[in-house]
Amino acid sequence: MSTGAAAHVAVVTRHFGGTPDEPAGLARLVAGALARHARVSVVHLVDALGAGEEQSVDDSVFRVHRELVGGARPLWGGIARVALVGAGVRAPARGGAALLERLAGEAPGVAARLGALAPDAVVLVGCDQPFDLTAALGARGRGPRVTLIPLLGANRPDEVPRAEALCARADAIASVHPGEHAALAGALGERGGDVVALDLALPLNRGAAHHRLFGVRWFGRYVVLLRAFPGGGPRHYRGPTHEYVRQVLGRVAVAEVDDGRWRITDGEHHLLLPVNPTRVNLWRLMEHAVATIDLRPPGPIGREALESMLLRTPAVVPEGSAAHAHVAAASGGLWYQDIGECLDATRILLDRPLRDRLGAQGEAYAAAHHGDSASFVRRVAELVLGTTAT
């Protein structure tokens, strides 16, 4: 297949546009990388169109086609998966397949849309692909080349609805963290070699990150506490208070990122940080911190842990998460099972020699695997198009 201008790639996903979640950011980065070598269309699966919203629009260099998903009940689907696991079903995506697929809804227009686009290659971002795979993509070896980015998080393929069927159809499968890579390769047996590490390149502006946020300097050493980021993202509604964390840590200030409310306190002073809750400002906060503590529900990619390590700041992350897989592979931080372990790990990082060693190891790993945009662009084109990119 040619990697020239004639090549046409369709990216199919439920995650695109202005949503703040990790899969949406990944989909845009992958589509942007592919646009350097091919023409890219995005098929965005949505629950509804807003008033006056057109079905097909231009978004940067992409043509985005919105296809409706009907009958989706994501909350019920999550409850059903938990209930199946609680009932002892080891592989809920198999044991409850019919129920889980019904609750995922249906996007009947995808097959016709892909038929009209006639792409040379298709990228499926996420396993939430509620359409007839055979009708939309054809049989493996007969339809377009298909690359799957499953985004399993900490799950096995047999725990995620549609994952096994999608893997069976895909010509190539991309993992986003070492734990996912091992789970996919182990589940696929003889096809384990079809799993490739995506090694997502993160566009981090080191020059911008070097400048401290206003007022932070006066608090001396501090840790960053991630409670909710980006804005509107998931958070735990029960957890240790800001004041409790600061009191337990004792010898260090705490800078908390909680959606649009950012603040820093030490034993005597309190400052609401007068900043917009942007990623650049988060980099500025992490760049000068002792450590980044992640108290959020785990995401499928672990982006902020990688960014913290790129900035030479060790990360303290939930055990079993994508972030944990990166931190463990890098020896660039510590991980925890509960809040007691989290705060114990953070106290350990107040020791300067250990903190510096973990910071250097994390930076080296993150730079090697996630800091080279040119290599990422080339590798994604080769993975998706199946040929050597130039």
Side-chain angles (χ1 to χ4, degrees), residues 133-159:
L133 297 180
T134 302
L137 303 172
R140 186 165 176 256
R142 297 182 182 180
R145 177 176 171 84
V146 174
T147 299
L148 171 66
I149 308 176
L151 300 178
L152 298 176
N155 298 298
R156 303 188 313 269
D158 62 2
E159 295 175 325

Side-chain angles (χ1 to χ4, degrees), residues 26 30 147 149 151 173-177 180-181 195-201 301 369-370 375-376 379-380 383-384:
L26 179 144
V30 168
T147 299
I149 308 176
L151 300 178
I173 302 163
S175 63
V176 297
H177 65 79
E180 182 183 48
H181 191 98
V195 182
V196 177
L198 184 62
D199 282 351
L200 184 71
I301 297 171
H369 292 274
H370 303 279
S375 174
F376 173 68
R379 287 185 294 100
V380 168
L383 174 68
V384 171

Side-chain angles (χ1 to χ4, degrees), residues 178-253:
E180 182 183 48
H181 191 98
L184 285 165
L188 291 176
E190 293 181 356
R191 287 196 61 208
D194 292 337
V195 182
V196 177
L198 184 62
D199 282 351
L200 184 71
L202 300 176
L204 192 149
N205 187 329
R206 292 178 178 273
H210 184 69
H211 300 285
R212 290 178 183 264
L213 292 181
F214 173 80
V216 168
R217 182 185 302 274
W218 305 108
F219 288 82
R221 292 202 308 166
Y222 66 90
V223 297
V224 175
L225 187 70
L226 291 180
R227 199 179 294 277
F229 183 88
R235 59 169 297 155
H236 290 302
Y237 286 94
R238 287 187 176 183
T241 65
H242 178 101
E243 291 73 20
Y244 175 77
V245 172
R246 205 218 58 74
Q247 288 174 8
V248 170
L249 294 181
R251 296 180 290 133
V252 65

Side-chain angles (χ1 to χ4, degrees), residues 277-299:
T278 65
R279 189 166 295 277
V280 172
N281 282 332
L282 179 64
W283 297 338
R284 289 170 173 160
L285 203 57
M286 292 194 300
E287 162 81 3
H288 305 281
V290 172
T292 299
I293 308 169
D294 195 343
L295 292 183
R296 300 168 302 166

